[in-house]
Amino acid sequence: MSGAVVQVEDKLISWRRYLHQNPELSFEEIETSNFVYSELLSFGGLEITRPTKTSVMARLIGAQPGKVIAIRADMDALPIEEDNELEFKSKKTGVMHACGHDAHTAMLLGTAKILADMKESIKGEVRFIFQHAEELFPGGAQQMVDAGVMDNVDQIICTHVRSNMVTGQLGVLAGPVLASPDSFSIKVIGSGGHAAKPHQNIDSVIIAAQVVTNLQQIVSRYIDPIDDVVLSVTQIHGGTADNVTPGVVEISGTVRTFDQRLREEIPLEMERIVKGITEAHRAAYEIEYRNGYRPVINDEEVTEVVKNTVIDLYGADALDKIRRGMGGEDFSAYLQKAPGCFFYLGVGEENMEKNYPHHHPKFNVNEEALTIGVNVLLNVVQNLMTK
Ligand code: NI
């Protein structure tokens, strides 16, 4: 590891702990963004702006012309009550950095600090994007893009910590990495009445049950089995008493895929089924399909550079064999503007039983991973610039 990275280690830990202790929810990152702004200012040599109310962008414009490489970190926390016994445990009731965005922010600060000191030797520009609100749809990324943070950017990278990956391992995958997390709501509108006289009602419960089971046939029977799709009904609401047939039952859930074509096709399939079943039983329906973030699809070339950088720094064994997942990430908004790579940084313990999942009240990050993350970001940026 380069001397510059070792030197910044104490800072990385103290930044991360400060952020961990003072988490802020999506779109409310006031103190977090002020903290990031003032730290960046103390490095010198950066052009710092506020693209939105709670985000920060820093531009490091090198002495010589060249490519523009962007790095993104997200800064928001989650509405979770922390259940860790740490000296830097969250000070805020019901708010916690349970996805490691505190680590992301600290690592990007560290990378900016080291690169700012190398300004004279930099050919091109490095852009540090400290984004708000990754966790809450519609997300901060699109707002950042709309504010122009990606203008003239040639390539973009970002790392996300991963608690079920051992510290020292990295996950780098070309092509689809994360899915589009779309969601839907359906209302089955029958006609309520006394449960003892079902023949006088249009029973929305029994019709909704058929809707739920038939929706499962979309993935199993109407979509090519080769395609990756998840359709999950996650909520059913209806009824108020044992002897009353409710007039309306509400169903909602999520659809995940990597394919834009399927994102257009699935809502049509859903409506066909809902329409057919409700019509068959004299009920009516309403359906709403909401597009979430776009899928995260890594660029082959940028990903190759990230992979080779990891191998050069830590050897081929440091690359964990990861598979794409059905989660979502608004990093995809940046990828509409420039090719890039989203890769994982292991922050877990060797003993997997000690690692809690992301968004869990006991989620934690092994701080030894912070210097690894900075070292990789730093070297990937340098390799992209000279390539
Ligand atoms: Ni996250």
Side-chain angles (χ1 to χ4, degrees):
M1 203 170 307
S2 86
V5 179
V6 176
Q7 274 176 22
V8 91
E9 182 166 15
D10 290 348
K11 279 268 181 201
L12 292 172
I13 292 171
S14 72
W15 285 326
R16 185 254 160 169
R17 292 185 176 188
Y18 168 81
L19 294 163
H20 192 85
Q21 212 164 10
N22 298 281
E24 289 176 300
L25 293 173
S26 312
F27 297 102
E28 295 172 19
E29 307 89 339
I30 307 273
E31 285 170 38
T32 306
S33 59
N34 285 340
F35 173 77
V36 166
Y37 188 95
S38 65
E39 289 300 313
L40 288 168
L41 203 60
S42 75
F43 303 160
L46 297 168
E47 283 181 20
I48 312 165
T49 52
R50 308 289 302 245
T52 70
K53 208 174 105 194
T54 58
S55 64
V56 188
M57 176 171 78
R59 297 175 67 186
L60 174 65
I61 299 166
Q64 297 158 71
K67 281 162 79 174
V68 181
I69 309 294
I71 319 174
R72 172 270 210 161
D74 41 14
M75 307 190 289
D76 54 329
L78 287 154
I80 294 173
E81 177 75 24
E82 178 157 19
D83 190 21
N84 283 318
E85 289 314 316
L86 298 167
E87 52 181 296
F88 52 93
K89 183 179 173 174
S90 169
K91 282 186 198 165
K92 290 188 186 153
T93 315
V95 187
M96 176 190 177
H97 269 293
C99 195
H101 299 189
D102 48 348
H104 300 167
T105 306
M107 289 189 289
L108 192 54
L109 279 172
T111 309
K113 183 172 167 55
I114 294 169
L115 285 168
D117 290 339
M118 298 164 55
K119 189 172 180 175
E120 291 313 309
S121 65
I122 285 174
K123 290 190 180 113
E125 179 188 328
V126 189
R127 214 172 274 184
F128 307 93
I129 298 173
F130 293 88
Q131 180 206 313
H132 59 301
E134 186 279 323
E135 300 283 5
L136 189 64
F137 190 77
Q142 190 58 50
Q143 295 183 345
M144 298 294 278
V145 170
D146 293 343
V149 303
M150 288 298 285
D151 294 357
N152 306 315
V153 168
D154 291 297
Q155 286 157 327
I156 180 161
I157 54 167
C158 113
T159 191
H160 199 298
V161 300
R162 194 158 166 162
S163 64
N164 65 352
M165 189 183 283
V166 177
T167 302
Q169 295 276 291
L170 288 109
V172 189
L173 197 65
V177 180
L178 287 163
S180 50
D182 296 343
S183 61
F184 62 85
S185 307
I186 296 164
K187 258 188 202 167
V188 174
I189 306 164
S191 164
H194 202 296
K197 297 176 179 175
H199 58 292
Q200 293 177 357
N201 310 328
I202 298 173
D203 189 344
S204 55
V205 171
I206 220 157
I207 302 166
Q210 293 176 58
V211 167
V212 171
T213 49
N214 278 271
L215 285 177
Q216 295 309 310
Q217 293 196 16
I218 294 178
V219 175
S220 65
R221 289 296 174 269
Y222 304 127
I223 302 286
D224 188 333
I226 300 295
D227 288 323
D228 303 310
V229 183
V230 169
L231 190 163
S232 292
V233 172
T234 55
Q235 299 193 59
I236 306 181
H237 300 286
T240 49
D242 293 344
N243 57 356
V244 179
T245 297
V248 175
V249 169
E250 295 182 3
I251 298 165
S252 62
T254 185
V255 174
R256 312 282 170 122
T257 167
F258 300 102
D259 188 330
Q260 188 55 39
R261 183 183 49 84
L262 290 173
R263 294 179 83 191
E264 287 158 23
E265 200 178 306
I266 290 166
L268 302 177
E269 293 283 348
M270 291 177 72
E271 177 146 17
R272 187 174 54 77
I273 285 169
V274 174
K275 185 168 186 279
I277 291 171
T278 49
E279 255 177 26
H281 301 288
R282 293 180 290 130
Y285 73 94
E286 284 171 19
I287 185 165
E288 194 193 317
Y289 192 92
R290 295 173 296 271
N291 280 325
Y293 302 148
R294 278 160 289 219
V296 174
I297 299 177
N298 279 345
D299 176 71
E300 302 277 341
E301 202 179 313
V302 179
T303 305
E304 201 54 32
V305 172
V306 175
K307 250 188 200 165
N308 290 333
T309 305
V310 171
I311 293 170
D312 286 348
L313 292 171
Y314 299 108
D317 288 347
L319 285 174
D320 201 324
K321 284 179 192 63
I322 59 161
R323 303 174 70 194
R324 55 182 178 263
M326 284 299 190
E329 239 280 358
D330 71 350
F331 184 67
S332 51
Y334 303 104
L335 296 177
Q336 311 302 308
K337 291 286 173 182
C341 178
F342 173 98
F343 60 96
Y344 291 106
L345 174 72
V347 294
E349 305 297 329
E350 205 81 49
N351 177 357
M352 277 294 159
E353 280 170 21
K354 286 187 173 171
N355 300 326
Y356 288 89
H358 290 247
H359 299 204
H360 188 282
K362 284 185 182 290
F363 174 85
N364 202 5
V365 164
N366 181 338
E367 289 174 335
E368 282 170 31
L370 299 175
T371 48
I372 300 171
V374 170
N375 203 26
V376 172
L377 289 173
L378 202 60
N379 282 278
V380 169
V381 165
Q382 288 169 319
N383 290 338
L384 286 173
M385 286 192 126
T386 52
K387 209 176 178 247

